[in-house]
DNA sequence: ATAAAAATATTACGAGCATATTTTTATTGC
DNA sequence: GCAATAAAAATATGCTCGTAATATTTTTAT
């Protein structure tokens, strides 16, 4: 009988190698040979696990989103709501080397997401989950008074996600004014403002 | 003397053709032949005006940022400040076909901006101008009471630009919850909130 | 021990592309 | 009208990369 290998482990190893190469060289300059070398494997082996380059890329993106979801799930669900919200949102920012790498790769894949229907679906699904997740959290927080009822949960979720992603992109591109401290402060201010009751409203 | 051609006009024609092709097929699938065909020219002619593909791409990006700047300059400078700010910010959103095309191309170029130093410089310079422009506007508005003095002008500018770009990207990627109406509303809410004095502050 | 089958490695091919080179065409001064 | 020369088009070249085809190694059941 034939020999056996841990397929899932191999696929993951290759996917992680892909992400490292893309983070280093950019998606446009990433070749199958690069990925194979980075994974310490041959091109043939990469081909064995991924029928085509497109397959490999799709799996890589899935891996990426999975990692993001894991990180979000790992956040402590401890009140007060304001701090919890801040922890969740900060999780999405490139504030350490690992997230920086992953989000750089995410940025590399964004344009492909416009063209490729599979990637588009993946992106939309993930974004939807994220926005709905925040919106649900806002709705629940509204019942305990931690979120002003005059605000629309979905709108606020859209705003928060957009702000975070905008900050992320500019930070990654190295724009002036978008240093790590600054983007944290901006996020903080935004959250405090959206949780504060509107001026003309009584706090009770 | 030999025959002569309007070089600037030609360069612009080619650049515009490039942007149309990139918007349609994506940067990764855009070839010199594509651009030449779109411009109604031969590859040789494109080569005459742009020594290499990289040159062409850089010029295209410059063209892009120039168009954005022109649009901003074309905005009516009429008070009240809140409406002016809204008009300026909306100018950056992909709310019609032309801006949609241009911003799609901008998105296509974002990853290249990470790698290519020239493009990075261009991006940083433009972003800096934009953020400083908004910050200056906030500072001036602060003197007339239209902008709460307890807010930091630069921070607010960073937040506004990030929010706009985040909304733009998600809208272009066709995410649910990021329709045209929604992103306008979200922008509106953000502006109203940042211009409103903080709860614990007297309006005077 | 060995045969069979699976996993992995190597090599080869061909498409597509940017760019260099050559050829043709058009225009202007004399 | 005829060189002279710039502009544009056509063609040629060489390289990179994805993929397919082939070869080699490794494992295990008999």
């Amino acid at each position: 009988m034939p020999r056996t290998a841990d397929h899932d482990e191999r696929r993951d190893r290759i996917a992680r190698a892909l992400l490292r190469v893309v983070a280093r060289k950019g998606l446009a300059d990433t070749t199958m040979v690069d990925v194979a070398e980075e994974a310490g494997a041959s091109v043939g082996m990469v081909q064995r696990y991924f029928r085509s380059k497109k397959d490999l890329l799709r799996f890589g993106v899935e891996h990426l989103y999975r990692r993001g979801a894991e990180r979000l799930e790992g956040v402590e669900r401890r009140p007060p709501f304001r701090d919890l919200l801040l922890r969740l949102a900060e999780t999405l920012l490139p504030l350490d080397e690992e997230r920086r790498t992953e989000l750089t790769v995410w940025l590399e894949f964004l344009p492909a997401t416009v063209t490729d229907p599979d990637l588009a679906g993946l992106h939309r699904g993930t974004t939807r989950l994220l926005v709905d997740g925040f919106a649900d959290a806002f709705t629940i927080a509204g019942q305990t008074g931690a979120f002003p009822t005059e605000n629309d949960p979905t709108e606020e979720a859209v705003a928060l996600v957009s702000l975070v992603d905008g900050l992320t992109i500019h930070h990654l591109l190295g724009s002036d004014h978008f240093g790590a401290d600054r983007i944290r402060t901006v996020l903080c201010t935004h959250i405090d403002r959206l949780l504060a009751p509107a001026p003309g409203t009584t706090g009770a």
Side-chain angles (χ1 to χ4, degrees), chain A:
Chain A
M1 275 311 214
R3 75 179 188 182
T4 173
D6 186 338
H7 287 205
D8 289 343
E9 190 274 337
R10 285 276 193 282
R11 288 172 74 88
D12 259 44
R13 165 198 291 270
I14 295 170
R16 288 203 310 277
L18 165 72
L19 300 189
R20 283 197 302 275
V21 176
V22 171
R24 178 151 31 90
K25 308 182 54 179
L27 181 56
D29 294 339
T30 297
T31 73
M32 295 292 268
V33 176
D34 291 331
V35 176
E37 277 179 4
E38 179 78 23
S42 69
V43 177
M45 176 171 149
V46 175
Q47 284 183 302
R48 176 166 199 75
Y49 288 96
F50 298 96
R51 205 179 307 280
S52 70
K53 190 180 186 182
K54 220 186 138 185
D55 279 9
L56 171 58
L57 298 185
R58 177 147 81 247
F59 188 82
V61 173
E62 282 170 11
H63 187 92
L64 209 59
Y65 285 132
R66 213 162 27 235
R67 287 280 308 138
E70 280 171 21
R71 237 200 297 279
L72 277 177
E73 282 160 18
V75 171
E76 262 189 299
R77 305 296 153 128
R78 177 168 42 78
F81 181 66
R82 183 256 186 199
D83 294 334
L84 170 58
L85 189 57
L86 193 57
R87 281 199 301 278
L88 287 169
E90 268 195 0
T91 295
L92 300 170
L93 290 177
L95 293 176
D96 61 29
E97 214 35 61
E98 192 189 3
R99 281 176 285 171
R100 201 185 167 80
T101 300
E102 287 182 18
L103 288 167
T104 301
V105 176
W106 170 71
L107 180 56
E108 289 287 334
F109 273 102
L110 272 194
T113 302
V114 181
T115 313
D116 189 306
D118 292 326
L119 293 184
L122 217 67
H123 172 86
R124 286 180 195 141
T126 309
T127 303
R128 180 170 242 290
L129 282 176
L130 191 62
V131 170
D132 289 346
F134 276 123
D136 290 349
F138 287 147
T139 302
I140 292 170
Q143 292 162 6
T144 69
F147 176 81
T149 49
E150 69 264 21
N151 291 345
D152 179 67
T154 301
E155 264 183 33
E156 295 303 335
V158 164
L160 183 59
V161 170
S162 297
L163 178 69
V164 166
D165 287 340
L167 288 169
T168 296
I169 285 172
H170 282 293
H171 178 74
L172 290 176
L173 291 177
S175 304
D176 300 330
H177 300 308
F178 289 81
D181 294 345
R182 172 60 59 67
I183 65 176
R184 289 187 72 245
T185 310
V186 168
L187 176 61
C188 216
T189 302
H190 179 84
I191 286 178
D192 284 337
R193 208 175 272 163
L194 83 85
L195 293 184
T201 312
T202 58

